[in-house]
Structures are given as C-alpha cells and as structure tokens.
Amino acid sequence: MAVVIVAAGSGSRLGADGPKAFVEVEGTALLTHAVCRAVASVDIAYLVVVAPPHHLTEAAGCVAAGIAGVAGPVVDGLVTAVVPGGPERGDSVMAGLAVLPADIEVVLVHDAARALAPAALFDAVVAAVRGGHPAVVPGLPVVDTIKEVDEAGVVRATPVRARLRAVQTPQGFDRAVLDRAHAAAADQATDDAALVERLGLPVLVIPGDLLAHKITTPADLGLAALLLRRGA
Ligand code: CTP
Ligand code: MG
C-alpha cells in the first residue's frame, strides 16, 4: 500500500507567510503531523509527499520528523519520496502517482491540510479497499442544510440532507482504477473519488473522523490546536 500526501498548495485562504504545509500547530508543521499519522498505518510500504517545487528540502525534513515521531517496527522498510507538485491539486496527485513502484496495489491519497487524520482512519480505508471496493472515501453526515444555487444565487434545489456526506481524505483506491481515473480526467475535480465516479465505478463512503477536518482558514488552525491539546 502507498500513501500519497499532497502538500503542494499555497494555502491562500489561510494567508500565512509561506505554504500551508509548513504552518505549525503546537510547534509542529502540518505536513509533519500528517506524515506521523500516515506512517503509523499498518499496511504502508511507500510514502510520497508532493511538495511546493521550491520547498522540497523543507518537505523532506517534515518526512524525517514525522517518521521519527513514530516508534516501532511499522516504519521499518518504509520507502519515501518527495516530488514537486503542479498548479492544481489534481496535477499534484498525478505527480505523486507517477513515482509509485509497479507492485503497489492500493493507493491512499491524502491532503496534508487534513493533518490530524488518525492512523486508524487510514487502516479503515485500506481494509475497505482490500475488501473489494475499488474506491473508498471517509465522510461525515452534513449538519447544515445544503442548497444548490444558480449564478444569480437563486436556489435551484435542496438535496435531502440525510443522504449527504462531507467527504474527507485519505481516499483509498485500487491502484489500476486510480491510474485510469486520472488518465481519463479531462478537467480538474475537487477530489479523486469524483474522477472514479466519472468512470462509472462505485465509490463507497465509510465513516469519517472529526480529526480529518481540513485546515483551510485561520479558525481551523485554532480548532486543530485545541484537538491536539486534548490528545489528538
Ligand atoms: N494541493 C496540492 N497542489 C496544489 C493545490 C493543492 O498538493 N496545486 C494540496 C494542498 O497542499 C492541500 C490539499 O491539496 O494539502 C487540499 O487543498 P487546499 O486545502 O485547497 O490547500 P491549498 O490549495 O494550499 O489552499 P488554498 O486553496 O486556500 O490556496
Ligand atoms: Mg486549494
């Protein structure tokens, strides 16, 4: 199993001095938090971090620090790579997929911005993929009522809330399916599962985790710090 952590975004909505992946929460970079949890997952053999092109050394430092934060045999034999990302998230995912060894069967794609997603969530996603589902995403029930609007802001539809899920990462895939989905992608999608949906293949949603919340704005950093102080 391989994990691709995409960390090449600028973090414009966070508005920090540098790329979001290197912003610290409780003294540790978001990317380091993400690596530390990903490499604690049971099945991982290969880790690719996709980083901002001018920050590859800094990203490699986060990989080393994240691995150092995990004790035990899980990390033995783990192979890592750091590669430069592209202009859009989808380009960065493809850059990561491009360096995976041929024998990788299951790929998890994870946002560095979901820095506190726990190892158990990685394990649950992998188990569902190995159980026969070609695409698996964690998701949480939506608490707000969601409206679809037109260009003028007028509501066109109100989807039944009970059937909506806010999906997270890590998203897990049969490797061949994910490669095919990205090769066929004519334009960008906001997640990888959407590309698999376009192939007409089923995507399974499993229970997500509050800790996999995406850090997007400064308020999200405050929530992450609170969760860490409570032992996340
Ligand atoms: N990402 C990436 N390459 C890009 C854009 C995004 O690897 N060209 C990654 C980000 O680093 C992040 C994840 O995709 O881990 C989710 O993206 P998002 O939360 O939108 O992060 P940013 O694009 O960095 O933030 P913003 O949209 O606010 O600029
Ligand atoms: Mg973005």
Side-chain angles (χ1 to χ4, degrees):
M1 183 273 275
V3 177
V4 176
I5 299 183
V6 286
S10 61
S12 53
R13 287 169 289 180
L14 192 59
D17 288 341
K20 180 160 75 177
F22 308 117
V23 170
E24 295 186 355
V25 183
E26 297 290 281
T28 299
L30 292 179
L31 178 56
T32 303
H33 282 295
V35 167
C36 176
R37 288 155 179 79
V39 300
S41 63
V42 173
D43 231 5
I44 186 167
Y46 202 92
L47 172 70
V48 185
V49 168
V50 186
H54 299 295
H55 297 266
L56 300 183
T57 307
E58 208 172 345
C62 292
V63 171
I67 290 173
V70 179
V74 171
V75 174
D76 282 356
L78 174 72
V79 177
T80 65
V82 177
V83 299
E88 302 288 341
R89 184 185 179 281
D91 304 312
S92 296
V93 174
M94 286 186 82
L97 296 181
V99 301
L100 293 183
D103 60 351
I104 294 294
E105 296 167 344
V106 175
V107 180
L108 268 54
V109 181
H110 185 45
D111 293 335
R114 301 184 186 274
L116 303 187
L121 189 61
F122 289 75
D123 293 338
V125 171
V126 172
V129 176
R130 291 207 187 277
H133 299 279
V136 177
V137 306
L140 291 174
V142 171
V143 294
D144 294 313
T145 296
I146 305 291
K147 304 287 186 190
E148 182 187 341
V149 296
D150 67 14
E151 303 74 32
V154 176
V155 172
R156 294 174 52 143
T158 305
V160 177
R161 188 175 63 188
R163 294 239 295 269
L164 296 176
R165 298 291 179 272
V167 302
Q168 305 174 323
T169 71
Q171 300 192 345
F173 304 91
D174 173 86
R175 195 265 179 88
V177 166
L178 185 61
D179 282 347
R180 194 145 61 86
H182 273 277
D187 51 26
Q188 297 283 336
T190 52
D191 75 347
D192 301 284
L195 302 178
V196 174
E197 291 162 47
R198 290 181 198 166
L199 295 180
L201 293 172
V203 176
L204 177 71
V205 180
I206 66 166
D209 194 311
L210 174 63
L211 293 172
H213 173 77
K214 186 153 73 85
I215 295 167
T216 305
T217 65
D220 297 320
L221 280 178
L223 174 62
L226 184 70
L227 292 168
L228 278 171
R229 286 199 295 270
R230 288 185 176 179

